[in-house]
Coordinates of all heavy atoms in Angstrom, one line a residue:
G952 N -9.1 7.3 -11.5 CA -7.9 6.6 -11.0 C -8.1 5.4 -10.2 O -9.2 5.0 -10.0
V953 N -7.0 4.8 -9.8 CA -7.1 3.5 -9.2 C -7.2 3.6 -7.6 O -7.4 2.7 -7.0 CB -5.9 2.6 -9.5 CG1 -6.0 2.2 -10.9 CG2 -4.6 3.3 -9.2
R954 N -7.1 4.9 -7.1 CA -7.2 5.0 -5.6 C -6.2 4.1 -4.8 O -6.6 3.6 -3.8 CB -8.7 4.8 -5.1 CG -9.6 5.8 -5.8 CD -10.9 5.5 -5.1 NE -12.0 6.2 -5.9 CZ -13.2 6.3 -5.5 NH1 -13.7 5.8 -4.4 NH2 -14.1 6.9 -6.3
G955 N -5.1 3.9 -5.3 CA -4.1 3.1 -4.6 C -3.9 1.8 -5.3 O -4.7 1.4 -6.1
I956 N -2.8 1.1 -4.9 CA -2.5 -0.2 -5.6 C -2.2 -1.3 -4.5 O -1.9 -2.5 -4.9 CB -1.3 -0.1 -6.5 CG1 -0.1 0.4 -5.9 CG2 -1.8 0.8 -7.7 CD1 1.1 0.4 -6.8
A957 N -2.1 -1.0 -3.3 CA -1.6 -1.9 -2.2 C -2.4 -3.2 -2.2 O -1.8 -4.2 -1.8 CB -1.6 -1.3 -0.9
A958 N -3.7 -3.3 -2.5 CA -4.4 -4.5 -2.4 C -4.8 -5.2 -3.8 O -5.5 -6.1 -3.8 CB -5.7 -4.2 -1.7
L959 N -4.1 -4.7 -4.8 CA -4.4 -5.3 -6.2 C -3.6 -6.5 -6.4 O -2.3 -6.4 -6.4 CB -4.1 -4.2 -7.2 CG -4.8 -2.8 -7.1 CD1 -4.5 -1.9 -8.2 CD2 -6.4 -3.1 -7.0
P960 N -4.2 -7.6 -6.5 CA -3.5 -8.9 -6.6 C -3.0 -9.2 -8.0 O -3.3 -10.2 -8.7 CB -4.6 -9.9 -6.2 CG -5.9 -9.3 -6.7 CD -5.7 -7.8 -6.5
D961 N -2.1 -8.3 -8.5 CA -1.5 -8.4 -9.8 C 0.0 -8.2 -9.5 O 0.5 -7.3 -9.0 CB -2.0 -7.3 -10.7 CG -1.4 -7.2 -12.1 OD1 -0.2 -7.6 -12.2 OD2 -2.1 -6.7 -13.0
P962 N 0.8 -9.3 -10.1 CA 2.3 -9.1 -9.9 C 2.9 -7.8 -10.3 O 3.8 -7.4 -9.7 CB 2.8 -10.4 -10.7 CG 1.7 -11.4 -10.8 CD 0.4 -10.5 -10.8
R963 N 2.4 -7.2 -11.4 CA 2.9 -6.0 -11.9 C 2.6 -4.9 -10.9 O 3.5 -4.1 -10.7 CB 2.3 -5.6 -13.2 CG 2.8 -6.6 -14.4 CD 2.1 -6.3 -15.6 NE 0.7 -6.7 -15.3 CZ -0.3 -6.6 -16.2 NH1 -0.2 -6.2 -17.4 NH2 -1.6 -7.0 -15.8
R964 N 1.5 -4.9 -10.3 CA 1.2 -3.9 -9.3 C 1.8 -4.1 -8.0 O 2.3 -3.1 -7.3 CB -0.4 -3.9 -9.0 CG -1.2 -3.4 -10.1 CD -0.8 -2.0 -10.5 NE -1.9 -1.3 -11.2 CZ -1.9 -0.1 -11.5 NH1 -1.0 0.7 -11.2 NH2 -3.0 0.4 -12.2
A965 N 2.2 -5.4 -7.6 CA 3.0 -5.7 -6.5 C 4.4 -5.1 -6.6 O 5.0 -4.5 -5.7 CB 3.0 -7.2 -6.2
A966 N 4.9 -5.2 -7.9 CA 6.2 -4.7 -8.1 C 6.2 -3.2 -8.1 O 7.2 -2.6 -7.5 CB 6.7 -5.1 -9.5
D967 N 5.2 -2.6 -8.6 CA 5.0 -1.1 -8.6 C 5.0 -0.6 -7.1 O 5.6 0.4 -6.8 CB 3.8 -0.6 -9.2 CG 3.8 -0.8 -10.8 OD1 4.8 -1.0 -11.4 OD2 2.6 -0.8 -11.4
F968 N 4.2 -1.4 -6.3 CA 4.1 -1.0 -4.9 C 5.5 -1.1 -4.2 O 5.9 -0.2 -3.4 CB 3.1 -1.9 -4.1 CG 2.9 -1.5 -2.7 CD1 2.1 -0.5 -2.5 CD2 3.6 -2.1 -1.7 CE1 1.8 0.0 -1.1 CE2 3.4 -1.7 -0.3 CZ 2.5 -0.7 -0.1
R969 N 6.3 -2.1 -4.4 CA 7.6 -2.2 -3.8 C 8.5 -1.1 -4.2 O 9.2 -0.5 -3.4 CB 8.3 -3.6 -4.2 CG 7.7 -4.8 -3.5 CD 8.6 -6.0 -3.8 NE 8.7 -6.4 -5.2 CZ 7.8 -7.1 -5.8 NH1 6.7 -7.6 -5.2 NH2 7.9 -7.4 -7.1
E970 N 8.4 -0.6 -5.5 CA 9.2 0.5 -6.0 C 8.8 1.7 -5.3 O 9.6 2.6 -5.0 CB 9.1 0.5 -7.5 CG 9.8 -0.6 -8.3 CD 9.6 -0.5 -9.7 OE1 9.2 0.5 -10.3 OE2 9.7 -1.6 -10.4
A971 N 7.5 1.9 -5.2 CA 6.9 3.1 -4.6 C 7.2 3.2 -3.1 O 7.6 4.3 -2.7 CB 5.4 3.1 -4.7
V972 N 7.3 2.1 -2.5 CA 7.7 2.2 -1.0 C 9.2 2.6 -0.9 O 9.5 3.4 -0.1 CB 7.5 0.8 -0.3 CG1 8.2 0.8 1.1 CG2 6.0 0.5 -0.1
A973 N 10.1 2.0 -1.7 CA 11.4 2.3 -1.7 C 11.7 3.9 -2.0 O 12.4 4.5 -1.4 CB 12.3 1.5 -2.7
K974 N 11.0 4.3 -3.1 CA 11.1 5.7 -3.4 C 10.5 6.6 -2.4 O 11.1 7.7 -2.0 CB 10.5 6.0 -4.8 CG 10.8 7.3 -5.3 CD 10.2 7.4 -6.7 CE 10.6 8.6 -7.4 NZ 10.1 8.8 -8.8
G975 N 9.3 6.3 -2.0 CA 8.6 7.0 -0.9 C 9.4 7.1 0.4 O 9.5 8.2 1.0
R976 N 10.1 6.0 0.7 CA 10.9 6.1 2.0 C 11.9 7.1 1.9 O 12.1 7.9 3.0 CB 11.6 4.6 2.1 CG 12.4 4.6 3.4 CD 13.3 3.4 3.5 NE 14.0 3.1 2.3 CZ 14.1 2.0 1.7 NH1 13.6 0.9 2.2 NH2 14.9 1.9 0.6
D977 N 12.6 7.3 0.8 CA 13.6 8.4 0.6 C 13.0 9.8 0.9 O 13.6 10.6 1.6 CB 14.3 8.3 -0.7 CG 15.1 6.9 -0.9 OD1 15.4 6.3 0.2 OD2 15.4 6.6 -2.1
Y978 N 11.9 10.0 0.3 CA 11.2 11.3 0.4 C 10.7 11.4 1.9 O 10.9 12.5 2.5 CB 10.0 11.4 -0.5 CG 10.3 11.6 -1.9 CD1 10.2 10.6 -2.9 CD2 10.8 12.9 -2.4 CE1 10.5 10.8 -4.2 CE2 11.2 13.1 -3.7 CZ 11.0 12.1 -4.6 OH 11.3 12.3 -5.9
L979 N 10.1 10.4 2.5 CA 9.6 10.5 3.8 C 10.6 10.8 4.9 O 10.5 11.6 5.7 CB 8.9 9.2 4.2 CG 7.6 8.9 3.5 CD1 7.1 7.5 3.6 CD2 6.5 9.9 4.0
V980 N 11.9 10.1 4.7 CA 13.0 10.3 5.5 C 13.5 11.8 5.4 O 13.8 12.5 6.3 CB 14.1 9.3 5.3 CG1 15.4 9.7 6.1 CG2 13.6 7.9 5.8
A981 N 13.7 12.2 4.2 CA 14.2 13.5 3.8 C 13.3 14.6 4.4 O 13.7 15.7 4.8 CB 14.4 13.8 2.3
L982 N 12.0 14.4 4.4 CA 11.1 15.3 4.9 C 10.8 15.3 6.5 O 10.1 16.1 7.1 CB 9.7 15.2 4.2 CG 9.7 15.5 2.7 CD1 8.5 15.1 2.1 CD2 9.9 17.1 2.6
G983 N 11.3 14.2 7.1 CA 11.1 14.0 8.4 C 9.7 13.6 8.8 O 9.3 13.8 9.9
A984 N 9.0 12.9 7.9 CA 7.7 12.5 8.1 C 7.6 11.4 9.1 O 8.6 10.6 9.2 CB 7.1 12.0 6.8
R985 N 6.6 11.3 9.9 CA 6.4 10.4 11.0 C 5.3 9.3 10.6 O 5.2 8.3 11.3 CB 6.0 10.9 12.3 CG 7.0 12.0 12.8 CD 8.5 11.8 12.6 NE 9.2 10.9 13.6 CZ 10.3 10.3 13.4 NH1 10.9 10.3 12.2 NH2 10.8 9.7 14.3
K986 N 4.5 9.7 9.6 CA 3.4 8.8 9.2 C 3.2 8.9 7.6 O 3.5 9.9 7.1 CB 2.1 9.3 9.8 CG 2.1 9.3 11.3 CD 0.8 9.9 11.9 CE 1.0 10.2 13.3 NZ -0.2 11.0 13.9
T987 N 2.7 7.8 7.1 CA 2.3 7.7 5.7 C 1.0 6.9 5.6 O 0.8 5.9 6.3 CB 3.4 7.3 4.8 OG1 3.1 7.5 3.4 CG2 3.7 5.8 5.0
N988 N 0.3 7.3 4.5 CA -1.0 6.6 4.3 C -0.8 5.7 3.1 O -0.3 6.0 2.1 CB -2.1 7.6 4.0 CG -3.5 7.0 3.8 OD1 -3.7 5.9 4.4 ND2 -4.4 7.7 3.2
V989 N -1.2 4.4 3.3 CA -1.1 3.4 2.2 C -2.6 3.2 1.6 O -3.5 2.8 2.4 CB -0.5 2.0 2.7 CG1 -0.6 1.0 1.6 CG2 0.9 2.3 3.1
L990 N -2.8 3.3 0.3 CA -4.0 3.2 -0.2 C -4.2 1.9 -0.8 O -3.4 1.4 -1.7 CB -4.2 4.3 -1.3 CG -4.2 5.7 -0.8 CD1 -4.2 6.7 -2.1 CD2 -5.2 6.1 0.2
A991 N -5.3 1.2 -0.5 CA -5.6 -0.1 -1.0 C -5.9 -0.2 -2.4 O -5.5 -1.1 -3.1 CB -6.7 -0.8 -0.2
G992 N -6.8 0.7 -2.9 CA -7.3 0.6 -4.2 C -8.6 0.0 -4.3 O -9.0 -0.6 -3.2
L993 N -9.2 -0.1 -5.3 CA -10.5 -0.7 -5.6 C -10.4 -2.2 -6.1 O -9.4 -2.3 -7.0 CB -11.4 0.1 -6.5 CG -11.8 1.5 -6.0 CD1 -12.5 2.3 -7.1 CD2 -12.6 1.5 -4.7
R994 N -11.1 -3.1 -5.6 CA -11.0 -4.5 -6.1 C -11.3 -4.5 -7.6 O -12.4 -4.1 -8.0 CB -12.0 -5.3 -5.3 CG -11.9 -6.8 -5.7 CD -12.5 -7.7 -4.8 NE -13.9 -7.3 -4.4 CZ -14.9 -8.1 -4.4 NH1 -14.8 -9.4 -4.8 NH2 -16.1 -7.7 -4.1
P995 N -10.4 -5.1 -8.4 CA -10.7 -5.2 -9.7 C -11.7 -6.2 -10.1 O -11.9 -7.2 -9.3 CB -9.3 -5.6 -10.4 CG -8.3 -5.6 -9.2 CD -9.1 -5.5 -8.0
A996 N -12.4 -6.0 -11.2 CA -13.4 -7.0 -11.7 C -12.7 -8.4 -11.7 O -11.6 -8.5 -12.3 CB -14.0 -6.6 -12.9
G997 N -13.3 -9.4 -11.2 CA -12.8 -10.8 -11.3 C -11.8 -11.1 -10.3 O -11.5 -12.2 -10.0
A998 N -11.4 -10.2 -9.5 CA -10.4 -10.5 -8.4 C -11.3 -10.8 -7.1 O -12.3 -10.2 -6.7 CB -9.6 -9.2 -8.0
S999 N -10.8 -11.8 -6.4 CA -11.5 -12.3 -5.2 C -11.1 -11.4 -4.0 O -10.0 -10.9 -4.0 CB -11.2 -13.7 -4.9 OG -9.9 -13.9 -4.2
R1000 N -12.0 -11.2 -3.1 CA -11.8 -10.4 -1.9 C -10.6 -11.0 -1.1 O -9.8 -10.3 -0.6 CB -13.0 -10.4 -1.1 CG -12.9 -9.5 0.2 CD -14.1 -9.5 1.1 NE -14.1 -8.5 2.0 CZ -13.5 -8.7 3.2 NH1 -12.8 -9.8 3.5 NH2 -13.4 -7.7 4.1
D1001 N -10.6 -12.4 -1.0 CA -9.4 -13.1 -0.3 C -8.1 -12.7 -0.9 O -7.1 -12.5 -0.2 CB -9.6 -14.5 -0.2 CG -10.8 -14.9 0.7 OD1 -11.2 -14.1 1.5 OD2 -11.2 -16.0 0.6
D1002 N -8.1 -12.8 -2.2 CA -6.7 -12.4 -2.9 C -6.3 -11.0 -2.7 O -5.1 -10.8 -2.5 CB -6.9 -12.7 -4.4 CG -6.9 -14.2 -4.8 OD1 -6.5 -15.0 -3.9 OD2 -7.2 -14.5 -5.9
C1003 N -7.3 -10.1 -2.7 CA -7.0 -8.7 -2.5 C -6.6 -8.5 -1.0 O -5.6 -7.8 -0.7 CB -8.2 -7.8 -2.7 SG -8.6 -7.7 -4.5
M1004 N -7.3 -9.1 -0.1 CA -6.9 -9.0 1.4 C -5.5 -9.5 1.6 O -4.7 -9.0 2.4 CB -7.9 -9.6 2.3 CG -9.2 -9.0 2.2 SD -9.2 -7.2 2.8 CE -9.0 -7.4 4.5
R1005 N -5.2 -10.7 1.0 CA -3.8 -11.2 1.2 C -2.8 -10.4 0.6 O -1.8 -10.2 1.3 CB -3.8 -12.6 0.5 CG -2.7 -13.5 0.8 CD -2.8 -14.9 0.3 NE -3.8 -15.3 -0.7 CZ -5.0 -15.7 -0.4 NH1 -5.3 -16.0 0.8 NH2 -5.9 -16.0 -1.4
Q1006 N -3.0 -9.8 -0.6 CA -2.1 -8.9 -1.1 C -1.9 -7.6 -0.3 O -0.7 -7.1 -0.1 CB -2.4 -8.5 -2.6 CG -1.5 -7.6 -3.3 CD -0.2 -8.4 -3.6 OE1 -0.2 -9.5 -4.2 NE2 0.9 -8.0 -3.2
F1007 N -3.0 -7.1 0.2 CA -3.0 -5.9 1.1 C -2.1 -6.2 2.3 O -1.2 -5.4 2.7 CB -4.4 -5.5 1.4 CG -4.5 -4.1 2.0 CD1 -3.6 -3.1 1.6 CD2 -5.4 -3.8 2.9 CE1 -3.8 -1.8 2.1 CE2 -5.7 -2.5 3.4 CZ -4.8 -1.5 3.0
A1008 N -2.4 -7.3 3.0 CA -1.6 -7.6 4.2 C -0.1 -7.8 3.9 O 0.8 -7.3 4.6 CB -2.1 -9.0 4.8
D1009 N 0.2 -8.5 2.7 CA 1.6 -8.6 2.4 C 2.3 -7.2 2.1 O 3.4 -7.0 2.5 CB 1.8 -9.5 1.1 CG 1.4 -10.9 1.3 OD1 1.3 -11.4 2.4 OD2 1.3 -11.6 0.2
N1010 N 1.6 -6.4 1.4 CA 2.1 -5.0 1.1 C 2.2 -4.2 2.3 O 3.2 -3.4 2.4 CB 1.3 -4.4 0.0 CG 1.7 -5.0 -1.4 OD1 2.8 -5.5 -1.5 ND2 0.8 -4.8 -2.3
L1011 N 1.2 -4.3 3.3 CA 1.3 -3.5 4.6 C 2.5 -3.9 5.3 O 3.3 -3.1 5.9 CB 0.0 -3.6 5.4 CG -1.1 -2.9 4.8 CD1 -2.4 -3.3 5.6 CD2 -0.9 -1.4 4.8
R1012 N 2.8 -5.3 5.3 CA 3.9 -5.8 6.1 C 5.3 -5.3 5.4 O 6.1 -4.9 6.1 CB 3.9 -7.3 6.1 CG 4.6 -8.0 7.1 CD 4.4 -9.5 7.2 NE 3.0 -9.8 7.5 CZ 2.1 -10.3 6.6 NH1 2.5 -10.7 5.4 NH2 0.8 -10.6 7.0
L1013 N 5.3 -5.3 4.1 CA 6.5 -4.8 3.4 C 6.7 -3.3 3.7 O 7.8 -2.9 4.0 CB 6.3 -5.0 1.9 CG 7.4 -4.5 1.0 CD1 7.6 -5.6 -0.1 CD2 7.1 -3.2 0.4
A1014 N 5.7 -2.5 3.7 CA 5.8 -1.1 3.9 C 6.2 -0.9 5.4 O 7.1 -0.1 5.6 CB 4.5 -0.4 3.6
A1015 N 5.6 -1.5 6.3 CA 6.0 -1.4 7.7 C 7.4 -1.8 7.9 O 8.1 -1.1 8.7 CB 5.0 -2.2 8.6
D1016 N 7.8 -2.9 7.4 CA 9.2 -3.3 7.6 C 10.2 -2.3 7.0 O 11.3 -2.2 7.5 CB 9.4 -4.7 6.8 CG 8.8 -5.9 7.6 OD1 8.3 -5.7 8.8 OD2 8.7 -7.0 7.0
A1017 N 9.8 -1.7 5.9 CA 10.7 -0.8 5.2 C 10.7 0.6 5.9 O 11.8 1.3 6.0 CB 10.3 -0.5 3.8
L1018 N 9.6 1.0 6.5 CA 9.4 2.4 7.1 C 9.5 2.4 8.6 O 10.1 3.5 9.2 CB 8.1 2.9 6.7 CG 7.9 3.0 5.1 CD1 6.5 3.5 4.8 CD2 9.0 3.9 4.5
N1019 N 9.2 1.4 9.3 CA 9.2 1.5 10.8 C 10.6 1.7 11.4 O 10.8 2.5 12.3 CB 8.6 0.3 11.4 CG 7.1 0.2 11.3 OD1 6.5 -0.8 11.5 ND2 6.4 1.3 10.9
P1020 N 11.7 1.2 10.8 CA 13.0 1.4 11.3 C 13.4 2.8 11.2 O 14.3 3.3 11.9 CB 13.9 0.5 10.4 CG 13.0 -0.6 9.9 CD 11.6 0.1 9.8
H1021 N 12.7 3.6 10.3 CA 13.0 5.0 10.2 C 12.0 5.9 11.1 O 11.9 7.1 10.9 CB 12.9 5.5 8.7 CG 13.8 4.8 7.9 ND1 15.2 5.1 7.7 CD2 13.7 3.7 7.1 CE1 15.8 4.3 7.0 NE2 14.9 3.4 6.6
G1022 N 11.3 5.2 12.0 CA 10.3 5.9 12.8 C 9.1 6.4 12.1 O 8.4 7.3 12.6
I1023 N 8.8 5.8 10.9 CA 7.6 6.1 10.2 C 6.5 5.2 10.3 O 6.7 3.9 10.0 CB 7.9 6.3 8.6 CG1 9.1 7.4 8.5 CG2 6.7 6.7 7.8 CD1 9.7 7.4 7.2
R1024 N 5.3 5.5 10.7 CA 4.1 4.6 10.8 C 3.5 4.5 9.6 O 3.2 5.5 8.9 CB 3.2 5.2 12.0 CG 3.8 5.0 13.3 CD 2.7 5.5 14.3 NE 3.1 5.0 15.7 CZ 2.4 5.3 16.7 NH1 1.2 6.0 16.6 NH2 2.8 5.0 17.9
V1025 N 2.9 3.4 9.3 CA 2.1 3.0 8.1 C 0.6 3.2 8.6 O 0.2 2.4 9.5 CB 2.4 1.7 7.5 CG1 1.4 1.4 6.4 CG2 3.9 1.7 7.1
L1026 N -0.1 4.0 7.9 CA -1.5 4.1 8.2 C -2.4 3.6 7.1 O -1.9 3.6 5.9 CB -1.9 5.6 8.4 CG -1.1 6.4 9.4 CD1 -1.4 7.9 9.4 CD2 -1.2 5.8 10.8
V1027 N -3.6 3.2 7.5 CA -4.6 2.8 6.4 C -5.8 3.6 6.6 O -6.4 3.8 7.7 CB -4.9 1.2 6.7 CG1 -6.0 0.7 5.6 CG2 -3.7 0.4 6.5
E1028 N -6.4 4.0 5.5 CA -7.7 4.7 5.5 C -8.7 4.1 4.8 O -8.5 3.6 3.6 CB -7.4 6.1 4.8 CG -8.6 7.0 4.8 CD -8.4 8.3 4.2 OE1 -7.2 8.6 3.8 OE2 -9.2 9.1 4.0
A1029 N -9.8 3.8 5.3 CA -10.9 3.1 4.6 C -11.4 4.1 3.5 O -11.5 5.3 3.7 CB -12.1 2.8 5.5
I1030 N -11.8 3.5 2.3 CA -12.3 4.3 1.2 C -13.7 3.8 0.9 O -14.0 2.7 1.2 CB -11.4 4.4 0.0 CG1 -11.3 2.9 -0.6 CG2 -10.1 5.1 0.3 CD1 -10.6 2.9 -1.9
N1031 N -14.5 4.7 0.3 CA -15.8 4.4 -0.1 C -15.8 3.7 -1.4 O -15.4 4.2 -2.4 CB -16.6 5.7 -0.3 CG -18.1 5.6 -0.7 OD1 -18.4 4.5 -1.2 ND2 -18.8 6.6 -0.7
P1032 N -16.2 2.4 -1.4 CA -16.2 1.6 -2.7 C -17.3 1.9 -3.7 O -17.3 1.4 -4.8 CB -16.2 0.2 -2.2 CG -17.2 0.2 -1.0 CD -16.8 1.6 -0.3
F1033 N -18.1 2.9 -3.4 CA -19.3 3.1 -4.2 C -19.1 4.4 -5.1 O -19.9 4.5 -6.0 CB -20.5 3.3 -3.4 CG -20.8 2.1 -2.6 CD1 -20.6 2.1 -1.2 CD2 -21.2 0.9 -3.1 CE1 -20.8 0.9 -0.4 CE2 -21.5 -0.3 -2.4 CZ -21.2 -0.2 -1.0
D1034 N -18.2 5.2 -4.8 CA -18.0 6.5 -5.7 C -16.9 6.4 -6.5 O -15.8 5.9 -6.3 CB -17.9 7.7 -4.7 CG -19.2 8.0 -3.9 OD1 -20.3 7.6 -4.5 OD2 -19.1 8.4 -2.8

């Protein structure tokens, strides 16, 4: 699997992330969740670290803006890039 999509610098993945945040927000609110984990994903071959970090920051901001008004915190978990 891709282990997340938040840092993948691909316009299609960015659109997928926006849709996932909108759909996830509905579930999180319905369940009364207070936190959610955003997965960065693994850097694709040929993608620069800077592009990935920029996309990740943009997507974290988008998720926080969508979820924080509902009292939901956005969390980030480091993943092992070697396995």
Side-chain angles (χ1 to χ4, degrees):
V953 292
R954 298 187 195 184
I956 61 172
L959 303 183
D961 175 330
R963 292 170 296 181
R964 291 301 199 170
D967 291 345
F968 185 82
R969 285 190 300 274
E970 290 175 22
V972 168
K974 188 174 188 178
R976 179 186 54 221
D977 294 340
Y978 285 107
L979 292 162
V980 169
L982 293 169
R985 306 319 274 160
K986 301 173 190 171
T987 191
N988 188 19
V989 172
L990 300 176
L993 298 174
R994 182 166 47 130
S999 77
R1000 183 180 190 281
D1001 287 344
D1002 287 346
C1003 291
M1004 293 301 286
R1005 193 171 11 265
Q1006 185 67 55
F1007 196 33
D1009 289 349
N1010 281 338
L1011 287 173
R1012 202 171 296 113
L1013 179 137
D1016 288 347
L1018 301 174
N1019 288 167
H1021 299 280
I1023 302 167
R1024 286 184 170 177
V1025 174
L1026 306 175
V1027 178
E1028 179 181 356
I1030 60 172
N1031 176 350
F1033 302 105
D1034 294 328

